[in-house]
Each structure stands twice: as structure tokens, then as C-alpha cells.
Amino acid sequence: MQKNNTWIWMLSIVTTLSGILCIDEKLIFSSPHSLKEIDLQTGTVKKLADINYTVESLAYDYKDKYLYVPRYEKGDILRFSYPSNASVTFATVVVSNSKIIGVAYDSLNAHLYWAEVDTGKIMRCKADGSELTNIRNETHPSVITIDIDDRLIFYGQEKNNGQIHRMTVNGKEHRVLITNAANVYGIGLDVTHKRLYWMENSNYLKSSWYNGSDVKTIVRSVFWNIAVNRDFIFYTSSYTIKKIDKSLGQTPAVVYSNTRSVIALLIYEHKGKNTYINA
């Protein structure tokens, strides 16, 4: 009897730990005129909203649970509550300025950042759209991402002889990391290992350290946007979403095939704790 009780007790500990480490992971992506999500555990695809404009990047506020969606032709940024039990039916216009490619969110200071490709401005505002601040003037800035812990912003340019830049979140301590980085439309970070990833000229997925050294080409393909998690780099390639291991030499795997092109990409992770009955 004692042996059976010990086995049940050990099993309950293992199951509880599994519940603590349970991760709800989804890919949110844009396709012409719509926004969708795919559950990476089940493969279930769900339509979130009709957008009716091109969406080239996405940003998420984990603290207040908002998804920020820039509409390129409309020249604004929408804010949705996410996740939601129903399809998104209501959105708030937070920013209405000019053609926006890249967005990023700093949940530490509740700041939304975006890049205006036509005006060349990299802007910042509060989550509700107030306190608009121009933190830098650039030539054709495109995508943008933030390391919240290190207070660093990385961004690329939409130009043939473009560069990848780094600066602090207040627009200071600016430096050029990568030269000859043509038309960067995808950018992501591995904040644990301090690696920068980017899509270059719709053909190359590359990586470097945060200081711009150790540049590597991971894979050559047809790209538009990327998203990075603990183990994989996800990227859009024409009508598909693929993933590849961060280590070099791995074969990409197809995660999802769509009937229309896939553009923006964002990883949503929720580390949940399930409730178990302990014996």
C-alpha cells in the first residue's frame, strides 16, 4: 500500500510541474484584408478580424493584452483586445499619421513605437495614442523591434543600400550595426542569447550579435516577415509560414499553407498553470 501511495505522489508532482510549464503558443499573421491566428499545438486556424488594408507588422502588449495593427494604405494603427473568446469586432484607432510598416511595443513604459516610411520618422506615443514624440528622423525606416530589458531598439530600412540600426528607447546612443542590408522587412530578437535576426532583400535570413558582429546567413528563400521564439525562427514565404531551427543547416518545415499571401507575423505565448488534483 505504501509503495502505491508513493507512486501516486510522484506522479502528481510530475503532472503538476507539467501544468506549470504549459505554454499556449499561437502565431498571429496577416493575409490580404484579414488577420488570423494559428494554434501551434493543435494547428487550428481562426480568423480574428477583417482589416481591408495591408498589414506589414504586428506588436503586442502583454501587460494590458492589446494587439497593435498598422494599416499601411490607411496610415493608422488599430488596437484590439487579445485574446478574445469571439472574433474581433471592435478596434480603437490609436495612431493616424502616415504609411507605417513597423511597430513595436514597450510594456515597461507603456510606449508604442512605429516607423513612418514616407516621412522618415520613428515615433513614440503612450498606449492610448497620447504624448506623440518624434525620437529620430531616418531615411525610409521599415521594421522595428525592442529588447525591453536592455532598453534597445533595432530597426531596418526600406532601401537598396539600407542598413540596420540600434539605439536606446529614447532615440539616443544611435549606431549602425549592419551595412548593405537591402530592404529589411522582417526583424526579430533572441533576447536570451542577444542575437539579432533579419530578413534581407526578400531572399536572405541572417543573424548577428547585438553589436553587429558574427553575421551569418541562416537560409536563402523567399521571405517577407519573421518571428522568433526560444527554439525557432518562423518566417512568411509567399503563401506559407515556415519554421527553422536557430542553429544553421536545418531544413525548414512548413507550419501553415494559405490560399493567399502571408505578410505580418507575431508569436503570442501564454504560460498558463493548469489545476490538478493532488493525490
Side-chain angles (χ1 to χ4, degrees):
M1 183 70 177
Q2 180 65 35
K3 182 178 179 180
N4 288 339
N5 287 339
T6 302
W7 182 86
I8 293 172
W9 175 75
M10 291 177 64
L11 180 62
S12 70
I13 291 177
V14 172
T15 342
T16 302
L17 287 174
S18 299
I20 293 174
L21 298 175
C22 175
I23 298 177
D24 177 24
E25 194 170 45
K26 294 181 173 66
L27 276 177
I28 304 172
F29 63 95
S30 70
S31 193
H33 309 302
S34 66
L35 196 66
K36 299 179 182 180
E37 69 171 20
I38 178 171
D39 189 311
L40 290 177
Q41 276 70 49
T42 66
T44 303
V45 178
K46 175 184 175 183
K47 184 178 180 180
L48 299 177
D50 290 314
I51 302 298
N52 299 321
Y53 293 91
T54 304
V55 175
E56 300 194 23
S57 64
L58 298 162
Y60 188 68
D61 172 13
Y62 275 93
K63 182 179 179 181
D64 293 321
K65 299 183 179 359
Y66 284 117
L67 180 66
Y68 290 89
V69 181
R71 298 187 295 180
Y72 183 75
E73 298 89 350
K74 187 71 172 177
D76 61 11
I77 301 176
L78 302 180
R79 185 177 73 175
F80 297 100
S81 293
Y82 182 87
S84 174
N85 292 327
S87 295
V88 175
T89 56
F90 177 78
T92 302
V93 176
V94 179
V95 172
S96 183
N97 271 15
S98 65
K99 292 181 178 179
I100 298 167
I101 292 182
V103 288
Y105 193 81
D106 174 8
S107 57
L108 190 64
N109 288 331
H111 280 153
L112 174 67
Y113 290 83
W114 68 93
E116 300 179 0
V117 67
D118 53 349
T119 68
K121 296 178 181 178
I122 296 180
M123 300 288 295
R124 182 186 72 198
C125 71
K126 300 295 287 185
D128 60 0
S130 63
E131 299 183 20
L132 265 69
T133 305
N134 179 9
I135 64 169
R136 183 169 178 81
N137 293 316
E138 191 54 79
T139 304
H140 302 297
S142 55
V143 285
I144 182 171
T145 189
I146 294 179
D147 182 330
I148 296 174
D149 295 332
D150 287 351
R151 316 306 296 147
L152 293 173
I153 292 175
F154 299 80
Y155 66 92
Q157 292 176 282
E158 187 191 40
K159 53 186 299 189
N160 291 330
N161 58 340
Q163 300 168 329
I164 295 178
H165 303 248
R166 191 187 82 186
M167 63 185 176
T168 49
V169 292
N170 58 5
K172 299 180 179 179
E173 299 181 33
H174 170 268
R175 61 182 295 187
V176 175
L177 297 181
I178 307 293
T179 58
N180 298 318
N183 297 313
V184 177
Y185 290 115
I187 196 166
L189 300 175
D190 179 342
V191 295
T192 301
H193 299 99
K194 306 305 176 187
R195 294 290 296 186
L196 168 68
Y197 296 87
W198 70 93
M199 181 286 301
E200 186 176 310
N201 208 28
S202 300
N203 283 299
Y204 300 95
L205 176 59
K206 294 187 176 183
S207 173
S208 76
W209 296 118
Y210 269 19
N211 62 6
S213 65
D214 190 39
V215 176
K216 298 180 184 296
T217 298
I218 298 173
V219 66
R220 180 175 181 176
S221 184
V222 178
F223 296 97
W224 190 258
N225 214 321
I226 66 172
V228 181
N229 71 356
R230 300 173 306 280
D231 303 311
F232 297 100
I233 307 159
F234 296 84
Y235 63 90
T236 62
S237 179
S238 297
Y239 294 86
T240 62
I241 299 174
K242 296 181 180 181
K243 71 175 182 180
I244 189 169
D245 195 280
K246 287 179 181 176
S247 60
L248 302 179
Q250 301 295 320
T251 301
V254 175
V255 176
Y256 174 70
S257 294
N258 198 30
T259 57
R260 307 189 72 181
S261 59
V262 185
I263 306 174
L265 198 60
L266 180 140
I267 295 177
Y268 166 82
E269 291 182 344
H270 173 69
K271 297 180 180 179
K273 179 179 178 180
N274 297 328
T275 302
Y276 293 97
I277 298 175
N278 294 322

